[in-house]
Amino acid sequence: MEEIIRFYERRIAHHTAVRDRLHRQIYRFGTLRLLLFAGAAAALWLGRGNGWATTAVTAAAFALPFVALMIRHTQLAARKTYAEAMIRLNAGERQGIDYDFSAFDGAPEKADARHPFALDLDLFGDRSLFQSINRTVTEAGKSLLADWFMQPLTDRSAILRRREAVGELAAKTDFRQHFYVTGSPAKGRGDDLRLLTEQAGRSARFTARPAWRALTWLVPAGWMLLLAGAVWQGVPPGAAGWMFVACLLIANLRGRSVHRLHKSVEKMEQVLRVYSQLMEQVEKEPFLSEELACMQQSLMLRGEKASQAVARLSRIIGALDQRFSMAGLLLNVFYLRDMRQAIRLEGWLKTHVQHFGAWFGTLAATDALCSLGGFAFNHPDYAWPEMADGGFRMEGKALGHPLLHREKCVRNGVSIPGRPCFLVITGANMAGKSTYLRTVGVNFLLACTGLPVCADSLTFSPASLMTSLRTADSLTDGESYFFAELKRLKAIIDRLHAGEELFVILDETLKGTNSEDRQKGSLALIRQLMALKSCGLIATHDLLLGTLEEAFPGQIENYCFEADISGDELLFSYRLRKGTAANMNACFLMKKMGIILGTMNDER
């Protein structure tokens, strides 16, 4: 990790130096522009009596270098903006190494208590797993990355292909960071693809009418003839005025149609320009992994690459965005510019509608994969999991939670050698049961997503994940906590009956009923899960569940987290131990805090 920290600190220092140098250059060019302006004003004042020709030459002599300095200033400002974005990115990554992920989007809007595991595993929101990984710069990429975590892969070959792509991108830090910084100015909208597809599916208003296409050539030809006639003095007085009025009427005959077409794609110029730049990066990068190479190939067309086509669309929309400017209004009269751009837009949509899905899908997938590659790069100490042959297995050594600080995280193993099999975890309050369940669940999710895991080693079999750790009631749906939990358990049983392979993680089932009823229900639930050939972990305070180990030898195993009482102190090792917990700590803590009366040594 020290090398990763030094890497980001070197990048921050490098781009800070670049930014400062560019800032000085911009200041110098600004000073030169000011001097040129002052010099031009003085020269024009002193030569005010020398005639228009001298004045024009003097103005041009100062204007040309002034424009050149303006262009150079714009270039330097763009490079400075790029350097500042690089500083922010690398500073955010450096903070992330210390578990501060606030620089990145945790997608709190994706949190859903009804999802099989998202809420239980802190998948979305502040200080979430998604926030620690997400480096997407497009809305489509963020949405796709969220979908990958909410619907992890269960196909072995798909996991291997994604893992190969993640491993390749982990080594391409320059590509990933350039992709991020290039895409940062315009994230786009999640419905960009839908809007373009809908517009392409509408009936053509201009391309289907040859008369309008003909007018786009006849109008400028008429102006050229009028100009030629004026030169040869063969044009009657007032002809230009009548021509102007006629062209103005023609230009506005289909003004509403042009406006509706423009409204359907307005404000997409910058987004599409950025998309084209991102696509160009993907097209130029040499990829070796199968998944990335296939995605790259989807951007290649005969004669025109996707980046070039999307850049052309951006220019067409940009031209329509300028339709109400003074230059746009004049060009519309002399050139029928709006109609020309409308014809080009409809033609572009008709030609490329069949490519939209592949292009935007590749862009979103590359965006999401860059996030996964960055996670792999940031955790060189994590292990790449191995997939087990045959039936279900989940066996790992020294598993830790990726959101717990590496210096404080206590790691434990897990061993589920086959199906059916459950680990029954007992233990005192605050001893580490729930954290352990989340640790196993999160690492299983990372493995199925194609990522390295926070462990020394892990062997797993892909399966669907279902958890019930922090079921919540719903006032809006009129559901109690207990009923919400029963619905989750019913969903697990139904999916098992349907033949799905599930990895099930449960924490303190049936909390909403009395202890005797809870014990009977929990015992019956575990027997049902075993009968359905399921696998997983169950944490509980009910020591009676520990007797199931005898009823299912080799299939149910007891583990515990103990709270050791030493004098007036309660000590937690957070180490997973074999067997059933012997110590409980509720009465001890209540007495120590003065909630109930009694001698500290009454309960052990």
Side-chain angles (χ1 to χ4, degrees), residues 2-13:
E2 291 299 322
E3 179 56 35
I4 299 297
I5 291 172
R6 286 195 294 271
F7 172 85
Y8 287 122
E9 289 178 345
R10 286 196 300 269
R11 292 229 158 181
I12 293 170

Side-chain angles (χ1 to χ4, degrees), residues 78-133:
R79 290 171 56 190
K80 181 172 175 283
T81 300
Y82 182 91
E84 289 170 341
M86 275 290 188
I87 294 169
R88 287 193 298 271
L89 171 60
N90 285 279
E93 295 285 12
R94 175 63 184 87
Q95 291 172 351
I97 300 299
D98 291 331
Y99 301 89
D100 177 3
F101 312 115
S102 57
F104 306 107
D105 186 359
E109 72 279 1
K110 297 287 186 180
D112 184 359
R114 295 168 296 181
H115 187 268
F117 56 80
L119 184 65
D120 291 339
L121 299 185
D122 302 305
L123 191 52
F124 300 107
D126 292 336
R127 298 188 59 79
S128 65
L129 181 68
F130 187 81
Q131 188 181 39
S132 72
I133 296 173

